[in-house]
């Protein structure tokens, strides 16, 4: 609510916005306590990156997949591993390579001599929390094997459908710099990621802190001291709780206008789909919940829009040659669409 007042120039009570109190209609205290403990555990290893950690937590609450993009060495993989350690979920890690086959991910049927029948051996994708390292290193055929499981949380093999246990979350990493031996992710797959999170270099102060932490660790395992905070039941309860966060009709219209503008923007060759609108809605509720509010504000929508949209739209070749990227265009669209009063 505080941010709403700050962004509403017509409101005459800006100076009193910080003193505004409200009584929550949904008990979010257990959720906030759990997330605070997760942040503390991750902070034992990761320095800074608070925005990225919050986005990962929102993705868990919104039951959405995440694409982490950054140069090598900025803690993409370790961040995903740390988050997995704080959650009591089955975890699997898949290293994508150019020779990886779809059966290496989803599993394959093996002939059982004792029964004279084929038995399906489940692949590593059958887990609650799946880390896919360097997702852009596998060819299109292997990437396409993820389409069904990421969207429908199920696998169809040899005519049989296997429903995955809930929750199911994919965190994939990719390096945007190295192009040799990589394959561009198709739009259909990118659209299945709730967020694309760009991880930048740490600043000087954070870099010094990282070196000091590493020096203090000596030979100790970085992950050894990380405690498990939330169980499957906790996560399911929190996901259900986030669905109940209140959003007013005029804010739903605000989301629709932002997404609609991506389809009409002259700088974009491809706009966002209705799946993007739903993603912003769910993510905005997630951002509201981690701030202790049971209602969505325009600032929650703005915070969700960039990580939700930046990988779903395609910049026109002319603008791309000029160095314009999707993030800049989305920011312009957000600034253009009038904030509901």
């Amino acid at each position: 609510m505080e941010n709403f007042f700050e962004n509403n120039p017509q409101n005459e009570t800006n100076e009193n916005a910080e003193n505004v109190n409200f009584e929550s209609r949904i008990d979010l205290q257990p959720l906030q306590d759990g997330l605070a403990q997760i942040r503390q555990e991750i902070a034992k290893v990761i320095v800074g990156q608070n925005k990225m950690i919050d986005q990962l937590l929102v993705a868990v609450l919104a039951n959405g997949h995440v694409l982490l993009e950054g140069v090598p060495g900025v803690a993409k993989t370790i961040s995903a591993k740390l988050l997995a350690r704080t959650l009591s979920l089955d975890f699997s890690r898949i290293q994508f390579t150019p020779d990886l086959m779809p059966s290496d991910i989803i599993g394959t049927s093996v002939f059982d001599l004792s029964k004279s029948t084929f038995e399906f051996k489940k692949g590593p994708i059958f887990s609650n929390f799946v880390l896919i390292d360097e997702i852009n290193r596998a060819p299109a055929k292997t990437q396409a094997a993820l389409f069904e499981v990421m969207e429908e949380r199920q696998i169809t093999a040899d005519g049989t459908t296997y429903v995955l246990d809930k929750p199911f979350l994919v965190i994939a990493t990719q390096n945007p710099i190295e192009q040799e031996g990589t394959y561009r992710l198709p739009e259909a797959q990118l659209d299945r990621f709730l967020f694309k999170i760009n991880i930048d270099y740490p600043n000087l102060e954070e870099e010094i802190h990282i070196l000091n932490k590493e020096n203090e660790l000596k030979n100790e395992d970085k992950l050894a001291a990380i405690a498990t905070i939330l169980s499957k039941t906790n996560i399911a309860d929190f996901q259900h709780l986030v669905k109940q966060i209140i959003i007013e009709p005029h804010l739903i219209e605000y989301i629709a206008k932002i997404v609609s503008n991506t389809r009409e923007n002259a700088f974009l060759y491809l706009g966002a789909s209705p799946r993007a609108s739903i993603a912003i809605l769910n993510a905005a509720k997630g951002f509201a919940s981690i701030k202790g509010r049971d209602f969505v504000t325009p600032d929650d929508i703005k915070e969700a829009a960039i990580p939700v949209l930046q990988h779903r739209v395609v910049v026109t070749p002319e603008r791309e040659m000029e160095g314009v990227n999707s993030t800049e265009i989305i920011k312009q669209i957000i600034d253009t669409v009038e904030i509901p009063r």
Side-chain angles (χ1 to χ4, degrees):
M1 180 174 282
E2 296 173 12
N3 289 336
F4 174 74
F5 282 113
E6 290 171 7
N7 286 282
N8 189 346
Q10 295 181 356
N11 199 296
E12 298 178 357
T13 60
N14 285 353
E15 66 278 3
N16 298 320
E18 295 183 357
N19 298 322
V20 174
N21 295 315
F22 60 88
E23 184 177 349
S24 179
R25 291 149 288 188
I26 302 173
D27 185 11
L28 296 171
Q29 196 58 51
L31 181 150
Q32 286 202 291
D33 291 343
L35 298 188
Q37 291 179 58
I38 289 176
R39 291 190 188 97
Q40 289 175 5
E41 292 301 312
I42 293 177
K44 292 177 181 178
V45 178
I46 300 295
V47 175
Q49 303 290 3
N50 295 326
K51 183 178 179 181
M52 179 265 289
I53 292 167
D54 279 352
Q55 289 173 332
L56 287 175
L57 293 175
V58 168
V60 173
L61 296 174
N63 196 26
H65 312 297
V66 176
L67 178 62
L68 291 176
E69 185 173 281
V71 298
V74 290
K76 300 187 297 296
T77 302
I78 192 68
S79 297
K81 284 185 174 180
L82 286 167
L83 179 60
R85 286 291 288 265
T86 64
L87 307 176
S88 182
L89 300 174
D90 293 334
F91 173 78
S92 64
R93 179 181 184 272
I94 310 172
Q95 180 68 52
F96 269 29
T97 56
D99 61 347
L100 196 71
M101 299 296 291
S103 58
D104 297 327
I105 301 170
I106 65 175
T108 186
S109 293
V110 179
F111 187 72
D112 188 338
L113 289 173
S114 63
K115 299 178 182 177
S116 296
T117 58
F118 282 94
E119 183 180 351
F120 183 70
K121 296 293 185 181
K122 295 180 178 179
I125 199 69
F126 284 86
S127 188
N128 296 122
F129 193 112
V130 180
L131 168 61
I132 299 177
D133 235 350
E134 298 186 278
I135 190 172
N136 57 336
R137 287 203 173 276
K141 184 178 181 179
T142 304
Q143 291 177 7
L146 297 172
F147 284 9
E148 181 183 13
V149 68
M150 289 181 66
E151 179 61 22
E152 301 172 44
R153 267 73 174 183
Q154 66 180 34
I155 289 289
T156 302
D158 297 331
T160 303
T161 298
Y162 303 88
V163 179
L164 274 71
D165 292 336
K166 297 180 180 179
F168 175 71
L169 175 69
V170 171
I171 293 187
T173 70
Q174 72 173 7
N175 171 9
I177 304 301
E178 194 172 3
Q179 301 300 322
E180 187 176 351
T182 63
Y183 301 81
R184 186 178 181 276
L185 298 185
E187 275 69 32
Q189 185 170 5
L190 287 171
D191 200 37
R192 282 161 168 77
F193 286 102
L194 175 72
F195 286 156
K196 176 187 173 186
I197 302 175
N198 297 316
I199 304 180
D200 296 323
Y201 287 117
N203 59 36
L204 178 60
E205 184 180 344
E206 290 171 341
E207 188 100 23
I208 294 170
H209 195 176
I210 290 169
L211 292 172
N212 285 330
K213 268 182 174 287
E214 187 66 27
N215 185 50
E216 291 167 4
L217 278 172
K218 308 296 182 187
N219 292 324
E220 295 178 23
D221 182 5
K222 291 181 180 180
L223 303 180
I226 304 301
T228 300
I229 306 300
L230 300 182
S231 66
K232 283 186 182 182
T233 303
N234 294 142
I235 297 168
D237 290 343
F238 291 160
Q239 288 177 343
H240 177 70
L241 204 63
V242 168
K243 289 285 187 182
Q244 299 177 52
I245 297 292
I246 299 162
I247 180 167
E248 298 296 333
H250 64 277
L251 291 181
I252 291 179
E253 185 179 348
Y254 180 50
I255 294 173
K257 286 181 177 178
I258 291 174
V259 174
S260 178
N261 266 263
T262 66
R263 303 166 193 161
E264 300 167 358
N265 193 286
F267 293 176
L268 295 177
Y269 173 74
L270 177 69
S273 69
R275 186 187 282 150
S277 302
I278 297 169
I280 294 176
L281 172 69
N282 293 332
K285 288 183 177 184
F287 280 116
S289 69
I290 68 173
K291 295 168 187 170
R293 282 187 276 99
D294 64 354
F295 60 91
V296 173
T297 69
D299 279 346
D300 297 324
I301 294 170
K302 288 181 177 181
E303 193 169 2
I306 291 175
V308 166
L309 294 175
Q310 63 183 350
H311 60 292
R312 300 173 191 266
V313 299
V314 179
V315 181
T316 59
E318 297 81 9
R319 297 302 173 186
E320 199 168 20
M321 289 176 64
E322 295 173 3
V324 178
N325 59 43
S326 61
T327 304
E328 294 170 346
I329 296 172
I330 293 164
K331 287 179 180 178
Q332 291 175 2
I333 289 172
I334 293 170
D335 291 340
T336 302
V337 178
E338 184 179 359
I339 300 173
R341 305 300 181 191

